[in-house]
Amino acid sequence: MPPTRRLLIRAAFAAATLISAQAAGADPVTIRIGYAAIGVDNRPFAEGTSAATARAGNFVEDEFKGAPDIKVEWYFFKGAGPAVNEAIANNQLDFAYQGDLPSIIGRANGLKTKLLLASGAHKPTYIASPIDSVVASIKDLKGRKVAVQRGTNGHLSLIKVLEANGLAERDLQILNMDSATANAALAAKEIDAAVGDTGLISLAEKKLAKIVYTTKGDDPRFGRYAHVLVTEAFETAHPDLTQRVTNAFVRAAHWSSEEANRQELLELWGKSGTSTSVLAEFFAGETLKYRNTPLIDELFIDQYRQAAAKSKEFGLLRRDVDFNGWFETKYLDAAIKDLKLEGYWTPYDASGKPRAN
Amino acid sequence: MSIDAVETPRRLLSLPRPTALAAPLAGALRRAAPTVAWGLVLPAVALPGWYLAARSGVLPEQILPAPAYVWSTFVDMVRSGELASHAGISLLRVVEGFGLGMIIGLVAGAAMGLSRRVDDMLHPFFIALSQVPTLAWIPFLMLLVGIGEPLKILVIVKATLVPVVINTRAGIRNIPKGLLEVGDVLRFTTGQKLRLIVLPGTVPPVFTGIRYGLTHAWIALVSVELLASSEGLGYLLVWGRQMFWLDTVVVGMIVIGLIGYVSDRLLASVEARLQRWAPRHD
Amino acid sequence: MTDVAAPNGPRIAPSVHRGLVLPVALLAAWELSSRLGLADPRFLPPLEIIARSGWHEMMEGRLWGDLLASLRRDLSGFGLGATIGIALGTVLGLSRLADRILTPWFNGLKQIALVAWIPLISMWFGFDEAAKVVFVALAACIPVVLNTQEGVRAAPLPLIEVGRTLRFSRTQFLLRLHLPAALPSILTGLHLGLIYAWLATVGAEYFMAVGPGIGGLIIAGRERFDMPLVLLGILILGCIGFAIDRMAGWIEHRLIRWH
């Protein structure tokens, strides 16, 4: 089977190169954007990131309003980051919103991508337990059944939090579940804790679970990091389109960072099926600028390097990751300049402190 | 006779005829030698091809990792005991679920085969049960009993049960009326009839059902481990997939295939022996 | 995963009323316990709630879409698998060389529990419909190959001699002799392939990317703790499986008689 499959791929590849060679003209292009999450009950929307804003608010579609030849398609993945990697490997996506760990795993396995901008990069992680559970802190998790989706940025975030509390993954009974399954299992009290975010806040709101811990307010390095990436193949074939898509995402990040839009933003994200009150809680006490910054700053880059080192240390990664040329900020810089947003977002240094410009 | 349930499993799996298996070991070996040699042609061509393709980058490793890499992963996993621990957990689950399913299946199947009344009541129920694939019951059982160990055992029990019941029932029913009449003439007690007529005649078909049940149990195990587990060979595949370790996935598949093959062969050789030993009715 | 009833389908016992005792008793116990509050209605919802859920899903239009999506997936996978299966089976049945080289490997790969292919196929084909169809095709292909090979190989010797006397060409041998002789066996393979394809369709919908389908419906029901939806899905799966089996059996029967 593999050789046949190989042939098919090569044929498809040849066809694709032929097509993209012609696409230099004004031939129709479909921009395929993947998102490493899915809405409640599999709605094709997400929340909590500037990429989710871009989707729900049609920022990318609006960017190409005047170009009928350019189509935009969005794909949402219940299998989260790992499933996005499979799609990228099969040449089924051009852009993707994805977390740090899955992208690093993809890079280590030879997926050719470039990171364009941060999105959802300061997202806090939550850990919740059944409402009447004795679990009250991270240290209580020792020996307990904890659900997390392996290979996602939530997984890495858990590892960082455990480490800070003197624990390791092997001290827990880790159950591998996607967030919908984990939420159901938590409500049914089948597990002692789950790692996630809005799904858990929602359960806590319904008194079906309690939040035991959140990285919010703790060391900003414990949270999850994520980004929007482009495949090298698309970037090489369409640098102009890559720039315009980046512009659209940066515009969405800007709109999502304006405090005046807070209520409207939470309602827009409601398309994913998550209630506004849950999202309000998710964003309470933090500025939108902090949460929705697109900047690939020192903190961001350092976190990715550490993520790779930690993943290798914990056996999630078997090889070193080459970071050279992976962070491609020229499109982001041009977009910020274009939109006159220089100095709008605060960059952070590697220790997690704001850096004066 | 409208149903040839005893025949079905063999047809499904298209196994070699029992007579072929009953051949003496030495002869089998002698005959196997050329088969093995011919069987090596494909890997002799494919392995270097795979190696070269992987090395030159024509075959990206996210499609298929190089054979040497798969091998080194295999060796690593054996050395660290990881593979043995996953396989052990899976095997334990199968032994428990299959054992329980087999016992229930034998009892129910025998009751249905021996008593018309029990059969009338239970048989339609079993037919209905067998119409819905085991896979479909998993989410239902997950809601009912959660995702713990009982779920895995229940699923495997269900998978084992159906073929064992159907074959046990058919095996008993297929005992020629004449033989039982002879028993009547000889004034056998029920116990004697069971021991001397029913049992010897039904062992081969019942065993076919058991063997088929084991195949089902193994597939059910992998399904349930893929869907809801944190250990075992099925989970190994999920874990490998999520971490983008194709080598781990390939190793997991090979081990699943090997265990399935070895256990089926073992039961097949027992079956062949039974078939030879059993009295012929025709 | 496979619970394949005998292709010919067992005949229901003549004393149907006795056969009804157990199901009726079970249903009555179910209904009573959920009504009297003995069972948690979350686990065993009253029957009319399942009926209402079915009605609702049907009227909302989702059920039909799911059913159609599953059937389309099932049939396209089966079509692909059957075509490859007949071709491969014929080659293995006619060519000694191909048989010697490939059959051991085919038999080895066959031992891998079918669902264990899902992760690899997902990694190879991503989230497209293609991944699901390929998996269904793989499932359908295996019994077709085995039965075709067996049927083609088993062409009666006298017939072959007749063919030799008539100086049949290779194509004539294949079309006039081997394939017709193998027809009953091929039909059995196709019948089994259909059953396997339906099982694989459910498996693909469980484990691969989210999309419309009855399997997806069941999984969504579980996540929402919606027992009526899960039971409805199981009922539909069973009915469709039964219908496919019966229809295939009928066609097989007709074709063989005609043949």
Side-chain angles (χ1 to χ4, degrees):
Chain A
M1 182 185 264
T4 333
R5 155 100 182 127
R6 190 61 228 153
L7 260 179
L8 281 176
I9 292 175
R10 298 208 68 180
F13 240 91
T17 14
L18 255 176
I19 291 165
S20 53
Q22 289 174 340
D27 286 318
V29 179
T30 303
I31 299 174
R32 303 162 300 173
I33 309 173
Y35 197 104
I38 198 162
V40 177
D41 289 338
N42 301 328
R43 288 178 178 82
F45 288 96
E47 32 79 357
T49 70
S50 60
T53 308
R55 156 64 170 171
N58 292 322
F59 279 78
V60 185
E61 289 81 351
D62 288 348
E63 172 73 34
F64 297 107
K65 210 182 249 163
D69 288 344
I70 293 168
K71 265 178 52 193
V72 179
E73 284 173 3
W74 288 81
Y75 298 95
F76 288 78
F77 292 86
K78 184 188 180 138
V84 168
N85 273 344
E86 286 175 7
I88 294 172
N90 284 289
N91 202 20
Q92 291 167 328
L93 294 175
D94 304 310
F95 292 85
Y97 162 84
Q98 202 182 26
D100 48 8
L101 179 58
S103 282
I104 288 169
I105 289 171
R107 177 128 181 121
N109 282 288
L111 295 187
K112 301 268 181 282
T113 58
K114 285 190 172 164
L115 306 194
L116 294 173
L117 63 135
S119 180
H122 298 150
K123 229 185 186 184
T125 304
Y126 288 73
I127 296 177
S129 286
I131 193 93
D132 50 2
S133 163
V134 295
V135 173
S137 71
I138 297 297
K139 291 197 166 63
D140 296 336
L141 292 177
K142 194 166 185 179
R144 305 231 170 228
K145 286 191 255 178
V146 181
V148 67
Q149 193 165 9
R150 283 193 148 151
T152 63
N153 60 359
H155 183 193
L156 187 62
S157 177
L158 173 70
I159 289 175
K160 290 191 273 192
V161 170
L162 287 176
E163 196 186 27
N165 284 275
L167 291 172
E169 221 186 332
R170 62 178 173 279
D171 296 324
L172 277 47
Q173 282 187 59
I174 296 283
L175 299 171
N176 176 49
M177 294 179 182
D178 62 54
S179 53
T181 310
N183 293 344
L186 194 63
K189 299 182 185 174
E190 285 175 29
I191 49 175
D192 298 309
V195 180
D197 51 36
T198 48
L200 301 181
I201 302 174
S202 177
L203 284 179
E205 203 178 56
K206 292 180 204 146
K207 303 270 175 261
L208 288 167
K210 60 173 182 186
I211 303 292
V212 177
Y213 168 82
T214 165
T215 58
K216 198 195 256 188
D218 207 337
D219 192 325
R221 289 172 294 190
F222 291 168
R224 284 171 297 166
Y225 286 79
H227 52 263
V228 173
L229 59 77
V230 64
T231 63
E232 275 185 20
F234 187 88
E235 193 229 359
T236 316
H238 306 285
D240 51 329
L241 294 182
T242 305
Q243 182 64 58
R244 289 179 70 183
V245 172
T246 310
N247 289 354
F249 275 111
V250 172
R251 213 174 280 130
H254 176 229
W255 190 83
S256 309
S257 298
E258 288 285 286
E259 290 300 335
N261 297 336
R262 187 176 275 252
Q263 192 54 32
E264 208 182 328
L265 174 70
L266 302 185
E267 277 160 20
L268 184 69
W269 284 339
K271 285 186 184 178
S272 67
T274 302
S275 74
T276 314
S277 62
V278 167
L279 288 166
E281 168 62 31
F282 192 36
F283 277 79
E286 286 184 322
T287 63
L288 292 178
K289 266 190 193 180
Y290 173 71
R291 290 284 289 273
N292 291 320
T293 175
L295 298 186
I296 295 185
D297 51 17
E298 285 167 26
L299 174 63
F300 185 91
I301 293 174
D302 188 62
Q303 278 306 303
Y304 277 62
R305 287 188 191 280
Q306 287 199 26
K310 279 209 165 56
S311 306
K312 197 148 180 255
E313 189 186 327
F314 291 110
L316 306 177
L317 209 61
R318 297 183 187 155
R319 279 170 281 192
D320 290 319
V321 182
D322 176 18
F323 283 93
N324 279 335
W326 198 27
F327 303 99
E328 180 53 272
T329 52
K330 71 176 184 208
Y331 298 102
L332 174 65
D333 295 341
I336 287 177
K337 207 169 162 201
D338 201 33
L339 299 167
K340 306 208 168 27
L341 292 170
E342 292 106 327
Y344 180 79
W345 288 287
T346 311
Y348 288 77
D349 67 16
S351 64
K353 295 191 184 64
R355 210 187 55 188
N357 283 355
Chain B
M1 182 90 3
S2 64
I3 157 172
D4 197 356
V6 186
E7 180 59 24
T8 313
R10 196 167 308 127
R11 208 164 6 137
L12 268 176
L13 298 170
S14 186
L15 297 161
R17 285 184 186 22
T19 43
L21 290 164
L25 195 65
L29 272 180
R30 204 178 324 121
R31 245 172 308 142
T35 314
V36 171
W38 278 107
L40 289 177
V41 172
L42 187 66
V45 177
L47 273 181
W50 178 8
Y51 171 78
L52 285 175
R55 223 182 100 111
S56 63
V58 174
L59 186 67
E61 61 181 313
Q62 63 262 23
I63 296 299
L64 205 60
Y69 193 48
V70 174
W71 175 249
S72 77
T73 301
F74 177 76
V75 171
D76 279 353
M77 290 174 78
V78 170
R79 280 220 189 108
S80 67
E82 199 185 343
L83 199 59
S85 115
H86 283 294
I89 285 160
S90 290
L91 283 175
L92 187 67
R93 283 173 179 159
V94 169
V95 166
E96 288 175 358
F98 171 68
L100 203 59
M102 188 175 70
I103 292 167
I104 301 175
L106 287 176
V107 171
M112 285 160 69
L114 291 171
S115 156
R116 186 93 220 170
R117 193 173 303 162
V118 174
D119 189 57
D120 282 345
M121 288 205 295
L122 287 181
H123 192 230
F125 179 71
F126 265 98
I127 294 304
L129 191 67
S130 70
Q131 285 303 325
V132 179
T134 307
L135 199 55
W137 290 111
I138 298 179
F140 171 75
L141 290 171
M142 278 166 109
L143 286 185
L144 225 50
V145 302
I147 46 168
E149 218 48 33
L151 169 77
K152 284 119 198 169
I153 305 301
L154 263 177
V155 168
I156 299 171
V157 165
K158 190 264 153 190
T160 312
L161 197 60
V162 174
V164 173
V165 166
I166 290 178
N167 283 275
T168 306
R169 172 183 177 273
I172 292 177
R173 292 207 145 191
N174 286 351
I175 291 190
K177 287 262 171 343
L179 270 184
L180 288 173
E181 276 160 20
V182 170
D184 282 336
V185 172
L186 295 174
R187 293 177 183 274
F188 276 5
T189 62
T190 313
Q192 280 174 317
K193 263 196 238 168
L194 271 179
R195 194 159 45 85
L196 297 172
I197 303 172
V198 176
L199 215 55
T202 48
V203 162
V206 167
F207 202 83
T208 305
I210 290 175
R211 181 176 154 203
Y212 196 29
L214 183 67
T215 311
H216 276 199
W218 189 240
I219 297 171
L221 168 94
V222 178
S223 308
V224 76
E225 283 187 346
L226 278 177
L227 214 51
S229 184
S230 304
E231 36 194 7
L233 292 170
Y235 170 69
L236 197 62
L237 299 181
V238 176
W239 172 223
R241 177 181 172 191
Q242 274 175 237
M243 302 310 294
F244 223 78
W245 296 334
L246 269 103
D247 45 334
T248 307
V249 173
V250 172
V251 167
M253 286 176 70
I254 292 174
V255 173
I256 286 172
L258 274 180
I259 294 182
Y261 180 74
V262 168
S263 56
D264 186 63
R265 284 292 93 177
L266 276 178
L267 287 195
S269 66
V270 176
E271 189 186 15
R273 204 149 296 179
L274 286 176
Q275 223 103 14
R276 237 182 341 165
W277 164 75
R280 297 204 146 256
H281 296 313
D282 39 13
Chain C
M1 173 167 109
T2 46
D3 264 330
V4 183
N8 292 326
R11 198 169 295 151
I12 304 291
S15 43
V16 178
H17 51 276
R18 253 194 223 154
L20 289 176
V21 171
L22 189 67
V24 169
L26 275 178
L27 287 179
W30 176 340
E31 185 69 20
L32 265 178
S33 58
S34 59
R35 294 217 157 240
L36 297 177
L38 293 175
D40 187 340
R42 277 203 313 173
F43 294 117
L44 284 183
L47 293 170
E48 82 263 14
I49 292 198
I50 299 178
R52 211 181 300 152
S53 160
W55 182 251
H56 175 78
E57 289 290 330
M58 234 160 25
M59 290 296 112
E60 295 281 295
R62 235 203 95 186
L63 191 61
W64 297 115
D66 283 332
L67 192 57
L68 216 65
S70 288
L71 285 176
R72 187 176 303 149
R73 201 166 282 147
D74 178 44
L75 289 179
S76 37
F78 171 74
L80 185 65
T83 314
I84 297 173
I86 291 178
L88 185 60
T90 309
V91 171
L92 292 182
L94 290 179
S95 156
R96 247 174 96 76
L97 186 71
D99 177 46
R100 280 169 155 176
I101 293 177
L102 295 177
T103 303
W105 289 95
F106 183 78
N107 285 334
L109 287 179
K110 189 184 77 187
Q111 290 295 334
I112 298 172
L114 204 57
V115 281
W117 283 98
I118 287 180
L120 202 60
I121 290 181
S122 302
M123 292 170 111
W124 280 349
F125 291 90
F127 66 95
D128 255 1
E129 186 64 21
K132 290 175 186 158
V133 172
V134 165
F135 178 64
V136 176
L138 179 71
C141 171
I142 292 171
V144 177
V145 171
L146 293 171
N147 284 279
T148 306
Q149 182 185 15
E150 199 176 295
V152 168
R153 196 187 280 154
L157 213 60
L159 261 184
I160 294 181
E161 271 158 19
V162 170
R164 287 216 184 100
T165 328
L166 293 174
R167 293 175 184 265
F168 271 7
S169 68
R170 279 188 91 106
T171 333
Q172 279 173 318
F173 255 111
L174 184 66
L175 292 180
R176 296 212 182 155
L177 212 144
H178 286 290
L179 284 182
L183 187 66
S185 186
I186 293 178
L187 285 175
T188 306
L190 289 176
H191 184 164
L192 291 171
L194 260 180
I195 297 173
Y196 275 50
W198 180 242
L199 293 170
T201 304
V202 180
E205 289 170 359
Y206 272 22
F207 300 111
M208 292 177 169
V210 179
I214 298 293
L217 183 92
I218 295 179
I219 293 288
R222 180 182 66 77
E223 277 164 7
R224 282 187 257 157
F225 221 102
D226 188 346
M227 194 56 125
L229 196 61
V230 171
L231 287 172
L232 180 73
I234 292 178
L235 199 69
I236 294 172
L237 279 188
C239 289
I240 300 278
F242 182 75
I244 288 179
D245 181 34
R246 275 302 158 99
M247 213 147 54
W250 184 76
I251 295 172
E252 189 184 354
H253 191 70
R254 292 300 292 268
L255 278 178
I256 288 178
R257 215 170 40 180
W258 163 79
H259 174 61

